[in-house]
Amino acid sequence: APLPPQEHDKPPAIANGELRINGKGKKLRKPRTIYSSLQLQALNQRFQQTQYLALPERAELAAQLGLTQTQVKIWFQNKRSKYKKIMKQG
């Protein structure tokens, strides 16, 4: 049976950077962000000061660099995980 019409009209939901079509498995991933050298410089500099950003700090940094807060958040998550991996290796 065809879906009731209201099902079709829902905009696709965006979950953690992935565009999902009607909540079923098919995922259209957003292309990965390419950071400019200036953005990376600022992000790395900030990471050296602190590995964790408070919400207002994240908002401010994102605004300064022209990134979304999600991009900043995920960059920091990835950087922490990479950093821990390196520390574990010694």
Side-chain angles (χ1 to χ4, degrees), residues 8 30 39 42 45-47 50-51 65-66 78 81:
H8 293 279
K30 273 196 178 158
Q39 288 169 333
Q45 216 170 358
R46 197 54 185 272
F47 187 82
T50 176
Q51 290 188 22
L65 299 178
N78 291 340
S81 118

Side-chain angles (χ1 to χ4, degrees), residues 5-43:
Q6 71 271 21
E7 274 301 311
H8 293 279
D9 303 336
K10 277 197 294 203
I14 295 175
N16 61 16
E18 293 184 345
L19 190 62
R20 286 183 175 274
I21 309 304
N22 70 17
K24 305 205 177 29
K26 284 217 183 86
K27 284 189 268 184
L28 287 180
R29 294 190 54 177
K30 273 196 178 158
R32 65 186 285 247
T33 308
I34 307 299
Y35 298 96
S36 72
S37 50
L38 212 75
Q39 288 169 333
L40 287 173
Q41 200 182 339
L43 288 162

Side-chain angles (χ1 to χ4, degrees), residues 46-66:
R46 197 54 185 272
F47 187 82
Q48 280 170 3
Q49 293 165 10
T50 176
Q51 290 188 22
Y52 292 87
L53 290 179
L55 284 171
E57 297 174 316
R58 188 175 83 194
E60 193 186 341
L61 187 60
Q64 280 172 4
L65 299 178

Side-chain angles (χ1 to χ4, degrees), residues 67-79:
L67 298 167
T68 66
Q69 289 192 40
T70 305
Q71 286 171 320
V72 172
K73 179 184 80 174
I74 289 173
W75 187 90
F76 266 77
Q77 284 175 347
N78 291 340
K79 183 76 174 177

